[in-house]
Amino acid sequence: MKFHFSVMIFCGLATTGFADPQITSWFTLDAGKFAQIYRTDAEKLSDRPETTWSNGRNTQRQPAYCGMQEILSSANWIYVRSTGLGSQIMGPWQNGWFPNLPTDQHFIFAIPRHPKEQTTHGFNHLGEIGMFVDGVRMFDAGDAFYYSNQNGEDASPRAGIGQGDRIWNRDALVNEGRTFDAALAHQQNRGTYHYHTEPIALRYLLGDHVDFDPVTKTYHESSGAPVKHSPILGWMQDGYPLYGPFGYSNPTNPASGLRRMVSGFVLRDGANGADSLAQTGRRTLPSWEAREQNRSVTLNNFETGPDVNELYPLGHYLEDYAYLGDLGETLGRDFDLDELNGRWCVTPEYPHGTYAYFTTIDVNGRPVYPYNMGRRFHGYPNGRLVAGIHEPVTINFIAHPGAAIVTAAMPAAKTTTLTWNPGTGSYESK
Amino acid sequence: MKLLKTTGFGLPCLVAVGVASAATLQIQITPKVSGENLQPASFRYQTSAGETFSITRVSYLVSNFALQRNDGSWLEISNSVAWLDFDQNRNSIWLETIPSGEFCSVRFTVGLNTNLNHADVAKFPAGHPLNPNLNGLHWSWQGGYIFLAVEGLWRNAAGELDGWAYHLARDTNATRITLAAPLVITNETKVELDFDLATLLNAPRPLSFGKDGSSTHSRDGDPIAAALVANLPGAFRVHKITALTDEEIAVAHPKPLYLPKNFTPYPFQMSATFPIPDLPRDNPLTVERVTLGRTLFFDKQLSSNNAQSCSDCHLPEKAFADNRRTARGAEGEFGPRNTMPLFNLAWKKEFFWDGRAKSLREQVLQPIQNPVEMHQSLTNLCAKLRATDKTNYAGLFEAAFGSPEITAEKISLALENYLLTLTSFNAKFDRVLRGEEKFTAAEQRGFELFSTEYDPRRGQYGADCFHCHGGPLFQSQAFANNGSDGAFTDIGREKVTGKASDRGKFAVPSLRNVELTAPYMHDGRFRTLEDVIRHYSTSVVRSATLDPNLAKHPDGGVPLNEEDQHALVAFLKTLTDAQLLTQAETAGK
């Protein structure tokens, strides 16, 4: 029994019946902690984080709490309210030169409770694709800029040529990775802190085979083999879970051992049966992307991409990758994950099986394409940010106001009465 | 030598049951620094980073003792838990009925297992090592105990005095210690262990107050807590193993004083959430004694000029304090200190602002005799009570003590009885915790600030109030220098203990009913609660004895904006208990 009068950090979730991973997987331990950033390397090295900040463009005038603030549920939806700010001390981004700072987004994200496989394979508009369990947003592998054939260069905020042709999509890690902080996250111009790749800081918080060096304040993959299945890192807009990199060797056998999930994508560098863009130039789309864009692999002259060179190295665009399933190799035997970066499998949370995405890292522990998800959702991506909630809901977790402090249950009796017992010479309670 | 109790069924055919021999094993743990005895509060120690520091507190819980037999198996000693405290000279645990035999190792845990750490603390009897009122280690706002509290002062890079407070807590930080100790137990045996604090702060993971931080509250991922856990196993060493002398225990319970033939035990009421207090067994609470005590408390004859009763300074409607800056005596003179409120005294061990009285019965006679208070000799008082015909004191004394004789000792026992019955536990705060009422947004924010530490390094920006005013009683038994002054006209606790390390320390008061007891501090210097909060936010003065929990804050105190200061005041006002007044007037009726 807990000390009734005391209050405690609310870390458990009240659920009825069996535990629903869509409710129980969220990281709420830091719900009452103020979010913090280092703006510069100097602040980081001397360990002087800030809780309020402004750079003119993005302002956090009052301290805001870390991430998850509420979990609510109805029959068909899970609603999570989050500040969108990470639990770890965020930043710095390019030692303060990156123009954006994160701010409290106070959004409500709705996730479908009953995910369903899409029957038609339409191209889904990407960008924000899900939510990590610490309440930080997940963006897709691209950076929302594309090659502009007409201008002969990538669209960029500076080039002033819109966003480009939407045919050759830039890889966010390759093109913007230098603006990521140690957690591998950054924020867009409106202050939404987000990951494009594996969320290494979150994996550390969840104990998913990541170490943190408190001196350099950097994260790295733990040495040694993983000893447990990766936890759920987040939820995609289609309602299916995203796991860390380690799953069961045999998708349907939890006793089959663990291994790092191998993605189905390889660079189009002439190896693995793929063509060589360095030799052909960027004149064809890979088959998987042609399917997604519903067009032929052959491109018109006005649709081709730049030649592979120092400015546009292989891997610069998502279309620089080929899918092994198109090259004669077999899913489940030669590689683990389908072209959406997931598979049907059993997991600790879903002993009877689920479709699950896995974040992908390479043999050295570095993020590798397609990172969290391919170019399409497995299910109908009905999840979205909502302005309000217009149906009755159950409160599964609530933090602020009241922050981390939730009172424990009180005893049935309000008072204790002590009375001296002449027989024993001591005071006894009734 | 102790014998195991054995039970037989008395059947004649049974062979006599073999009686196993057993002994008591005393394990004594002495705090050391680099092998030398700890010198408390002296600036003689250095961290590996060259920072000079002192140690003022070493208080910790040990549990789960086990002895390893020579065959490698372990003898677990159930219910073995102890609270050890340097200041209180608590350094030993006695493990009873250890079977005779040879053992090769001793094992124990610094801290508690999950079950004990989250047990219902209101159920531990008064003397139990886990009674929070005894050990002062229950971390009520986060659940569970502080396993190890080490505190002191240090000089920072600028040469200024700063505080450090390392509080190791949380289930996952309970640390197992295993020591090789060849033991042949045939008789009472004593194992002396050293607990070397130099190792704790240094090896294998050196800690620096400047680099690593001067406080830890053992939140997840806290590197200081991790270092302490890594250093603990090496910090314990076997010093000596000896056979035990006869300094044995068995404190007989004292007999009740002057117990009449007929009496009615008084039902002492408290919150079901409070720890069980150590009520006096030699002065049992009875309705008759409480009635006499209440009558005396409100009787002006207690003062020489019949101008003042206890209740003239200890006004029931003011939580038994008054609103004067310092106390005004029967003859109009003012004393040096602010009148203290009277409630929940059953949980205190020392009385007056400087703790000069060790019991209430010792305390109550002092204001009667004090020349600037009631200014009356005890002989005179007894004579007056005998002669008065307003009240039948002879009858009241007869009922309370079994004889009509009036003595100063009995007066003190009756007043002690009455004062112990004044309990306060029905404020809005209590009702909110019971779910009967709701905090306003400001009160909730105030509560949050009150019970959260100030620790920017770990992202915590609370007001850190709970360290001293923690727990359901909102008080601690400690004396502390709260940074009111740098130079002291009133040296407080030092006058009682003679220790320079107690200079400027005063009792830490309960914050229950604090709304009613303005002005504040031992000398009534602050008129309002807002002034008090401002003091802790901007005006804390550093001196050699400043409490480490305050000294670790930035200069001036915990930064709090105006809104948060108001929120704290709003929260403090939820601690006001209207029921105390009724209770005070009806006790014993």
Side-chain angles (χ1 to χ4, degrees), chain A residues 345-420:
Chain A
C345 58
V346 297
T347 69
E349 291 80 8
Y350 290 96
H352 304 301
T354 180
Y355 185 83
Y357 301 91
F358 288 81
T359 199
T360 38
I361 57 174
D362 68 15
V363 67
N364 298 312
R366 281 191 290 264
V368 65
Y369 185 79
Y371 312 118
N372 295 318
M373 192 184 82
R375 302 301 287 162
R376 176 164 48 81
F377 292 95
H378 180 80
Y380 290 100
N382 294 328
R384 60 191 183 276
L385 295 186
V386 294
I389 299 169
H390 305 291
E391 61 169 336
V393 289
T394 304
I395 297 175
N396 300 100
F397 169 79
I398 190 158
H400 185 74
I405 299 162
V406 172
T407 52
M410 293 299 290
K414 290 181 197 174
T415 57
T416 300
T417 305
L418 298 178
T419 314
W420 188 69

Side-chain angles (χ1 to χ4, degrees), chain B residues 259-519:
Chain B
L259 197 65
K261 268 208 180 66
N262 299 310
F263 61 90
T264 319
Y266 180 90
F268 173 87
Q269 301 243 309
M270 61 178 221
S271 165
T273 63
F274 285 6
I276 294 171
D278 195 7
L279 294 169
R281 291 164 189 246
D282 60 345
N283 185 21
L285 298 192
T286 68
V287 171
E288 294 80 5
R289 279 187 198 186
V290 172
T291 304
L292 173 59
R294 193 191 66 246
T295 312
L296 290 164
F297 188 83
F298 289 93
D299 191 338
K300 290 189 195 293
Q301 294 183 86
L302 266 69
S303 55
S304 58
N305 56 4
N306 299 333
Q308 194 176 54
S309 67
C310 303
S311 65
D312 282 316
C313 290
H314 297 284
L315 307 165
E317 66 273 23
K318 299 288 180 193
F320 293 85
D322 61 13
N323 293 143
R324 294 181 192 283
R325 187 166 167 170
T326 61
R328 182 176 187 271
E331 292 155 8
E333 287 185 73
F334 284 91
R337 292 181 186 154
N338 186 248
T339 302
M340 300 183 86
L342 306 177
F343 57 84
N344 297 348
L345 301 171
W347 289 271
K348 285 180 74 99
K349 300 237 177 303
E350 287 149 316
F351 302 89
F352 292 118
W353 279 107
D354 54 13
R356 63 185 181 273
K358 295 282 182 201
S359 66
L360 276 172
R361 69 188 74 160
E362 181 188 343
Q363 186 276 330
V364 290
L365 296 180
Q366 294 195 30
I368 298 174
Q369 303 173 82
N370 191 326
V372 296
E373 297 189 54
M374 298 161 118
H375 200 187
Q376 172 151 266
S377 77
L378 297 174
T379 326
N380 202 34
L381 170 61
C382 293
K384 268 162 78 177
L385 295 183
R386 279 179 211 118
T388 184
D389 47 10
K390 274 198 311 217
T391 311
N392 176 16
Y393 272 113
L396 290 174
F397 275 82
E398 169 93 55
F401 297 109
S403 89
E405 185 200 5
I406 296 174
T407 65
E409 184 192 11
K410 289 179 184 170
I411 292 171
S412 72
L413 293 175
L415 282 168
E416 177 174 80
N417 245 257
Y418 173 62
L419 292 176
L420 286 171
T421 67
L422 303 175
T423 50
S424 179
F425 56 93
N426 194 20
K428 176 175 181 181
F429 173 79
D430 303 282
R431 295 192 292 277
V432 169
L433 283 201
R434 288 200 296 264
E436 296 163 10
E437 284 186 44
K438 288 236 176 302
F439 278 141
T440 65
E443 290 164 355
Q444 176 75 44
R445 172 71 184 149
F447 179 35
E448 194 184 315
L449 287 164
F450 185 93
S451 41
T452 306
E453 64 268 30
Y454 180 81
D455 191 354
R457 244 182 235 257
R458 323 266 166 253
Q460 299 300 322
Y461 292 84
D464 238 343
C465 312
F466 70 105
H467 275 116
C468 296
H469 300 284
L473 294 155
F474 291 88
Q475 72 184 23
S476 72
Q477 291 172 43
F479 297 86
N481 169 356
N482 66 358
S484 295
D485 296 297
F488 302 95
T489 46
D490 185 345
I491 58 172
R493 182 80 179 145
E494 181 185 3
K495 207 168 163 192
V496 178
T497 63
K499 288 195 230 167
S501 58
D502 281 333
R503 182 159 307 164
K505 293 186 179 175
F506 295 91
V508 176
S510 170
L511 297 185
R512 283 184 176 272
N513 302 301
V514 72
E515 179 185 9
L516 303 173
T517 65

Side-chain angles (χ1 to χ4, degrees), chain A residues 308-330:
Chain A
V308 174
N309 56 34
E310 219 169 274
L311 212 56
Y312 300 98
L314 206 57
H316 188 85
Y317 299 106
L318 308 183
E319 290 72 20
D320 290 353
Y321 291 91
Y323 175 58
L324 289 171
D326 296 331
L327 305 176
E329 302 210 15
T330 305

Side-chain angles (χ1 to χ4, degrees), chain B residues 58-304:
Chain B
V58 183
S59 195
Y60 57 112
L61 295 168
V62 286
S63 66
N64 293 333
F65 283 80
L67 299 174
Q68 190 173 30
R69 302 184 189 90
N70 284 341
D71 66 3
S73 65
W74 287 92
L75 169 72
E76 303 278 352
I77 298 148
S78 57
N79 299 323
S80 50
V81 56
W83 166 52
L84 306 181
D85 187 284
F86 182 76
D87 204 40
Q88 302 284 321
N89 275 325
R90 289 178 69 111
N91 58 16
S92 287
I93 177 169
W94 284 268
L95 306 171
E96 311 276 342
T97 57
I98 304 294
S100 294
E102 292 188 20
F103 300 92
C104 57
S105 312
V106 178
R107 184 173 78 188
F108 60 94
T109 301
V110 175
L112 304 171
N113 65 27
T114 306
N115 285 345
L116 264 189
N117 195 27
H118 300 287
D120 179 2
V121 300
K123 294 287 187 288
F124 292 119
H128 193 280
L130 296 184
N131 184 308
N133 201 50
L134 178 72
N135 61 41
L137 287 174
H138 192 256
W139 209 332
S140 52
W141 306 125
Q142 301 188 12
Y145 289 84
I146 300 174
F147 297 155
L148 167 68
V150 279
E151 295 174 11
L153 299 170
W154 65 291
R155 283 201 190 284
N156 63 26
E160 292 158 351
L161 227 42
D162 217 329
W164 64 277
Y166 287 168
H167 293 174
L168 188 69
R170 297 177 76 122
D171 298 351
T172 48
N173 288 325
T175 306
R176 181 177 269 190
I177 313 292
T178 306
L179 297 167
L183 283 170
V184 183
I185 296 186
T186 53
N187 208 334
E188 323 273 293
T189 307
K190 177 176 177 181
V191 174
E192 292 177 47
L193 306 180
D194 287 349
F195 176 20
D196 202 311
L197 299 160
T199 311
L200 178 71
L201 299 176
N202 246 323
R205 291 176 63 172
L207 284 163
S208 145
F209 305 125
K211 276 214 307 279
D212 302 299
S214 56
S215 75
T216 174
H217 304 91
S218 304
R219 285 179 182 264
D220 275 349
D222 184 320
I224 295 178
L228 293 175
V229 167
N231 294 349
L232 263 173
F236 288 90
R237 287 186 277 273
V238 176
H239 179 67
K240 203 158 103 184
I241 300 172
T242 48
L244 200 65
T245 54
D246 285 346
E247 59 188 313
E248 270 302 272
I249 331 153
V251 182
H253 291 313
K255 282 216 164 59
L257 296 162
Y258 314 112
L259 197 65
K261 268 208 180 66
N262 299 310
F263 61 90
T264 319
Y266 180 90
F268 173 87
Q269 301 243 309
M270 61 178 221
S271 165
T273 63
F274 285 6
I276 294 171
D278 195 7
L279 294 169
R281 291 164 189 246
D282 60 345
N283 185 21
L285 298 192
T286 68
V287 171
E288 294 80 5
R289 279 187 198 186
V290 172
T291 304
L292 173 59
R294 193 191 66 246
T295 312
L296 290 164
F297 188 83
F298 289 93
D299 191 338
K300 290 189 195 293
Q301 294 183 86
L302 266 69
S303 55
S304 58

Side-chain angles (χ1 to χ4, degrees), chain A residues 67-145:
Chain A
M68 292 297 301
Q69 299 297 304
E70 279 179 28
I71 303 166
L72 312 166
S73 57
S74 70
N76 295 317
W77 296 97
I78 302 285
Y79 300 95
V80 294
R81 192 166 69 80
S82 169
T83 62
L85 299 168
S87 280
Q88 74 284 357
I89 301 176
M90 299 170 282
W93 300 270
Q94 292 184 300
N95 191 18
W97 290 102
F98 186 58
N100 308 329
L101 291 175
T103 52
D104 179 1
Q105 299 296 308
H106 46 81
F107 46 51
I108 303 170
F109 183 61
I111 305 163
R113 290 196 82 164
H114 309 292
K116 272 220 302 267
E117 191 177 348
Q118 293 192 80
T119 46
T120 54
H121 283 187
F123 180 74
N124 294 128
H125 179 72
L126 299 178
E128 302 171 355
I129 55 173
M131 176 88 97
F132 288 104
V133 295
D134 57 353
V136 171
R137 287 291 261 156
M138 188 194 313
F139 280 35
D140 76 324
D143 75 346
F145 290 104

